[in-house]
Amino acid sequence: MTDPLEQTLEGTVERVSFESPDGYRVLRVSVEGRDQPVTVVGTFPPVPQGARVRIRGPMETHRRFGEQLRANSLIELAPSTMEGLERYLGSGMIKGIGPGFAKRIVETFAMDTLRILEDEPQRLREVDGLGKKRIDLLVEAWQTQRQTRDALVFLERHGISGPLATRVIKRYGTQASQVVSQEPYRLALEVWGVGFKTADRIASAAGVAADAPARLQAGGLQLLHDTLESGSVYVDKNALVDRAKQMLEQSRTDASSIERDAVVRAVDALILGGHAVADTVDGTPVVFPAWIYRVETRLAERLLALVRSNAPPLDGAQEAIKAFEADTGVVLAEEQRMAIQIAARSPVMVVTGGPGVGKTTLVRAILAVFEGAKLEVRLAAPTGRAAKRMAEATSRPASTLHRLLEFDAQRGSFRRNRSCTVDAGAVVVDETSMLDLSLADALLQALEPGTRLVLVGDVDQLPSVGPGAVLRDVIDSGVVPTVRLKRIFRQAAESRIVVNAHRINAGVFPELPEPGDQTSDFYLAYRADAKVVLKSLLDLVTQRIPKHFGLDPVRDVQVLTPMNRGQVGTHALNAALQEALNPSGVSVTQGARKYRIGDKVMQLRNDYDRGVFNGDVGFVTRMDAEEATVHVSFDGREVEYDVSELDALSLAYACTIHKAQGSEYPTVVLTLLSEHYVMLTRNLLYTAVTRGKRLVVVLTDEKAVGLALSDARRVDRRTRLAARLGSDPSCGPRVADASSP
């Protein structure tokens, strides 16, 4: 259905059909030997009509537009015909030179036109009617085009092509070749997507010394970025220097010994240059990447503004509570009533607690109070799955935060911001343990002081994938009124899933059923190694769980694992589960993955055009070989994909625990082994167990669970949000610990 092999074509640009601000373009290119022009799509610098181009990339089939070449590389060549020269010069790339003047120039110099432009531009005066101003514009435009073309060739020769080359040229323009050849480490400092390794490879080939200041700065900046990857927002300055020295010495054979003082000067230069920010934490010098420092500081300022806003207490809370109890038949616990009173008088509050403690009931009651006070309430969550669960639990519309803030994919930013705020009297956000600093900052900037904000989440779950620990820090600051629900309600207390989740959270080994007990909802089985785990898992999912519990092995069972790679990583598990559960039938291959009708799949990134979001799970319902399309049903709504767009999906029989955040499943089968050592933490195990509603089965070895429960395995992110919030002298600690009586 597609030709995955990369190919190279040369031709003339007939038409520029589309251009977006971020450099995505659609061209129609005539190629010798082809009856019809080829459609070329991709991200690359501007190309004028009439230009000859060499394009490299895979040929694909689009469901609407047919065959097209997705350009991984596009290099502009000199036009090879007089007609091409005329179209090239008259394409509008040069102000004041239209088709008429282009024709005169080419008629005067024929195929020698480009040499004249390059070597003897003064001869352009020979063209009738071409004045000095137009000549100067033409020469300048030609030089710019030539320099851009030369830069693209140069970048490709050094392994930089496609969107990355476009970003480099957009940043440096005609100076791109000079920067890459003479100052390659500027790429790592100034161009998003260029890491230290790429810059270091180019610099080494160019003969840049291993102890060059620019190299040392780029290495330090790479390690700062690595800090964000781990979730922290700053690093001890001395530790940064030591790690940078080690990395810089190990990454090049000619860098056996670099002076520590030189690395210190490099880190100081990053600070002076605005790439990093210096601070102190408990008297220790630390360093932040500059952009995350600004985000964290701005978020703290805005949250404090909301906390200090003069939002009047809401009237009628007691009446709303009585009406809620009468309508639902629920009798609220004392700590829930206390939380509702806090919500009625506080502009910002946090509700946290584990499974079975009544968070959902409390949120529904708070909504009744807000709506009784005639507030316009908006409900949101970080992911589509969490928003769907929120809507089901409250019987009210809920959206992703990206949709609430009106994310503009073209601009890569939110339409709702400080100058265009969210139209709401109250905003309730669920699953806030998943909020990273950037998304939390975007939300807070879009709320007017006076807007009520309720943050709901389980602070003991895994923190966000992105940097920060927002929910933890907001609670720890003591600035925001916080209700921590602890009482496990009677019905929930009958579930071993709920009981064991709380035991795990306390660092206590799970309570296991008696041997032979087939009525429990929580089981743990020891297996010797990954091969035995895989064999047991396949037996559980395909045979034992369907037989004993009457559950569908595809729709009702979700396999979770800490990692993507390894013998029981998602890649291996999905391949094995697909072979066991859906081994045959119509299929299509994309890269290393094969999809069949009936497969369970997961969306990997937000797609606002289709209305599907990162983490949404669906099922392949049909394939159309003639149209080269695959149809996926998400909660009964069918979505169409081109075969070329299937990299937006992955098989979802198994997924990582991080990907499962915000979701619940009838059954969870969890693999947890000692080989996952780097991932084994208490909140990882806790998060995995709390994803299951009816049944949780843990397949593990004898050491893994103990490692996860150990206090020594707890990894704390280094952040300063709590300190920034708590440093406000006007706000004292206001945390309510709603314990069981």
Side-chain angles (χ1 to χ4, degrees):
M1 298 172 72
T2 59
D3 181 2
L5 299 177
E6 195 168 70
Q7 55 185 278
T8 301
L9 298 179
E10 288 189 12
T12 302
V13 177
E14 298 288 334
R15 185 171 72 250
V16 180
S17 302
F18 174 80
E19 292 183 293
S20 70
D22 63 356
Y24 181 83
R25 293 176 167 83
V26 179
L27 310 178
R28 294 283 284 168
V29 178
S30 64
V31 177
E32 187 175 348
R34 289 179 176 253
D35 295 335
Q36 297 294 325
V38 175
T39 299
V40 176
V41 300
T43 302
F44 40 80
V47 183
Q49 182 178 332
R52 277 192 61 76
V53 290
R54 179 183 297 124
I55 314 136
R56 180 169 48 81
M59 192 67 76
E60 302 172 343
T61 303
H62 192 279
R63 68 182 185 279
R64 290 176 56 195
F65 305 116
E67 189 179 62
Q68 59 185 28
L69 186 72
R70 183 168 297 276
N72 292 329
S73 168
L74 186 146
I75 301 296
E76 189 177 338
L77 309 172
S80 60
T81 66
M82 290 182 62
E83 180 185 3
L85 276 171
E86 285 185 27
R87 295 181 63 192
Y88 179 70
L89 295 178
S91 64
M93 70 170 183
I94 306 164
K95 187 177 180 180
I97 303 293
F101 275 117
K103 186 176 181 64
R104 293 185 202 176
I105 294 169
V106 174
E107 285 178 345
T108 303
F109 301 114
M111 293 305 296
D112 210 25
T113 298
L114 298 185
R115 189 193 64 77
I116 297 295
L117 284 169
E118 185 76 30
D119 301 328
E120 301 178 81
Q122 69 277 4
R123 288 190 57 191
L124 291 170
R125 292 194 296 267
E126 299 173 20
V127 179
D128 184 36
L130 199 61
K132 184 178 184 305
K133 184 177 181 180
R134 280 195 173 93
I135 290 173
D136 291 343
L137 289 171
L138 176 55
V139 171
E140 181 182 357
W142 167 251
Q143 289 175 344
T144 299
Q145 288 290 115
R146 179 180 54 78
Q147 289 167 343
T148 299
R149 183 180 68 240
D150 292 347
L152 279 170
V153 173
F154 182 86
L155 293 173
E156 184 162 279
R157 194 162 62 242
H158 287 82
I160 304 174
S161 60
L164 193 55
T166 301
R167 287 198 294 272
V168 171
I169 289 175
K170 186 175 182 180
R171 176 68 177 81
Y172 301 116
T174 59
Q175 302 301 308
S177 297
Q178 180 180 334
V179 170
V180 172
S181 60
Q182 298 180 13
E183 304 174 272
Y185 291 108
R186 283 181 62 185
L187 300 177
L189 296 172
E190 300 172 356
V191 181
W192 178 84
V194 179
F196 173 76
K197 288 183 178 179
T198 299
D200 202 33
R201 185 182 69 248
I202 297 169
S204 179
V208 177
D211 60 352
R215 180 173 187 264
L216 307 189
Q217 290 177 42
L221 189 65
Q222 180 66 55
L223 289 178
L224 277 179
H225 289 163
D226 292 346
T227 296
L228 298 182
E229 291 293 320
S230 71
S232 294
V233 300
Y234 69 86
V235 63
D236 179 295
K237 184 179 180 181
N238 288 322
L240 173 64
V241 169
D242 291 338
R243 289 207 298 269
K245 181 178 185 296
Q246 183 181 31
M247 182 193 76
L248 290 161
E249 289 176 344
Q250 293 178 348
S251 57
R252 270 176 60 172
T253 56
D254 60 341
S256 58
S257 180
I258 293 175
E259 292 184 5
R260 190 178 190 278
D261 287 346
V263 183
V264 172
R265 290 192 296 272
V267 173
D268 289 339
L270 288 173
I271 295 166
L272 289 172
H275 300 290
V277 174
D279 204 344
T280 58
V281 175
D282 298 329
T284 300
V286 299
V287 183
F288 293 74
W291 74 269
I292 202 71
Y293 181 90
R294 292 191 294 269
V295 166
E296 190 180 64
T297 303
R298 188 171 59 230
L299 170 59
E301 291 171 351
R302 192 65 166 182
L303 185 55
L304 287 173
L306 257 69
V307 170
R308 293 196 295 257
S309 63
N310 296 318
L314 301 178
D315 295 329
Q318 289 296 342
E319 291 77 6
I321 290 172
K322 291 178 182 177
F324 174 79
E325 290 181 326
D327 290 342
T328 62
V330 172
V331 178
L332 294 170
E334 188 57 38
E335 58 264 33
Q336 291 172 319
R337 292 173 181 272
M338 179 183 68
I340 294 167
Q341 295 293 342
I342 293 173
R345 66 174 182 264
S346 302
V348 185
M349 76 172 294
V350 170
V351 176
T352 189
V357 296
K359 291 196 302 294
T360 298
T361 299
L362 175 56
V363 169
R364 289 166 57 205
I366 290 173
L367 290 175
V369 172
F370 286 170
E371 290 165 353
K374 308 301 181 185
L375 294 181
E376 178 70 25
V377 185
R378 304 289 296 276
L379 308 184
T383 68
R385 295 163 296 155
K388 180 174 180 287
R389 284 181 55 209
M390 192 181 193
E392 291 170 348
T394 62
S395 300
R396 293 167 176 83
S399 70
T400 63
L401 283 167
H402 279 72
R403 189 170 290 283
L404 175 73
L405 301 175
E406 298 179 17
F407 182 72
D408 185 336
Q410 289 288 335
R411 296 188 304 168
S413 61
F414 295 103
R415 293 192 180 97
R416 296 291 178 177
N417 49 46
R418 190 169 289 201
S419 61
C420 182
T421 54
V422 172
D423 184 17
V427 175
V428 181
V429 183
D430 199 7
E431 295 290 353
T432 48
S433 63
M434 300 174 70
L435 273 181
D436 64 14
L437 280 170
S438 293
L439 188 54
D441 175 56
L443 171 65
L444 269 292
Q445 300 310 314
L447 299 184
E448 286 279 4
T451 303
R452 285 181 137 76
L453 176 63
V454 180
L455 301 174
V456 184
D458 186 346
V459 71
D460 296 313
Q461 287 188 24
L462 285 169
S464 57
V465 175
V470 173
L471 182 60
R472 181 201 71 183
D473 287 351
V474 169
I475 293 172
D476 288 351
S477 74
V479 167
V480 176
T482 298
V483 174
R484 183 188 286 268
L485 301 173
K486 290 188 175 181
R487 174 186 174 186
I488 303 175
F489 286 89
R490 182 178 60 81
Q491 186 175 357
E494 296 173 357
S495 165
R496 272 205 176 92
I497 294 174
V498 172
V499 170
N500 283 335
H502 287 272
R503 289 172 68 89
I504 289 166
N505 196 33
V508 179
F509 200 86
E511 176 185 282
L512 303 181
E514 293 294 327
D517 182 356
Q518 296 186 13
T519 63
S520 178
D521 61 1
F522 183 96
Y523 296 90
L524 185 147
Y526 290 119
R527 297 294 182 264
D529 56 33
K531 289 182 179 179
V532 181
V533 164
L534 179 58
K535 182 179 179 182
S536 294
L537 183 144
L538 292 173
D539 180 52
L540 274 169
V541 174
T542 62
Q543 300 296 327
R544 297 176 63 185
I545 289 175
K547 179 180 177 181
H548 291 290
F549 296 93
L551 295 168
D552 185 288
V554 176
R555 295 183 177 273
D556 295 333
V557 179
Q558 183 61 53
V559 175
L560 299 182
T561 187
M563 305 175 76
N564 286 313
R565 301 189 182 279
Q567 295 182 77
V568 288
T570 61
H571 301 325
L573 288 175
N574 273 316
L577 287 164
Q578 183 190 47
E579 184 62 27
L581 296 169
N582 194 25
S584 60
V586 178
S587 67
V588 61
T589 300
Q590 171 68 18
R593 291 192 290 264
K594 180 175 288 187
Y595 299 95
R596 297 188 179 101
I597 293 175
D599 274 337
K600 180 160 66 172
V601 295
M602 178 180 287
Q603 176 76 14
L604 298 179
R605 53 180 177 263
N606 292 336
D607 188 328
Y608 295 92
D609 293 332
R610 290 187 171 93
V612 289
F613 302 95
N614 184 13
D616 285 354
V617 173
F619 298 88
V620 178
T621 54
R622 59 193 176 99
M623 297 178 179
D624 189 322
E626 186 174 334
E627 294 290 331
T629 58
V630 173
H631 298 256
V632 179
S633 175
F634 292 96
D635 296 319
R637 186 174 65 88
E638 196 167 88
V639 176
E640 183 181 291
Y641 293 81
D642 280 349
V643 171
S644 62
E645 298 169 322
L646 290 181
D647 59 352
L649 299 173
S650 70
L651 291 173
Y653 299 101
C655 71
T656 63
I657 298 166
H658 279 88
K659 275 289 188 184
Q661 274 189 277
S663 292
E664 282 186 345
Y665 311 98
T667 296
V668 162
V669 178
L670 170 65
T671 68
L672 200 76
L673 298 176
S674 299
E675 69 181 50
H676 300 137
Y677 181 82
V678 295
M679 301 288 292
L680 294 182
T681 60
R682 189 182 301 175
N683 56 6
L684 181 96
L685 177 56
Y686 173 77
T687 300
V689 169
T690 54
R691 299 309 89 203
K693 293 192 294 185
R694 293 175 56 186
L695 177 65
V696 171
V697 181
V698 182
L699 297 175
T700 183
D701 57 36
E702 292 189 0
K703 295 181 180 179
V705 173
L707 285 169
L709 294 176
S710 169
D711 278 328
R713 298 292 299 158
R714 187 178 290 274
V715 178
D716 289 325
R717 295 186 169 193
R718 294 185 170 194
T719 65
R720 293 293 286 163
L721 180 61
R724 297 186 199 286
L725 292 169
S727 64
D728 178 39
S730 67
C731 301
R734 294 180 286 173
V735 180
D737 187 15
S739 303
S740 56

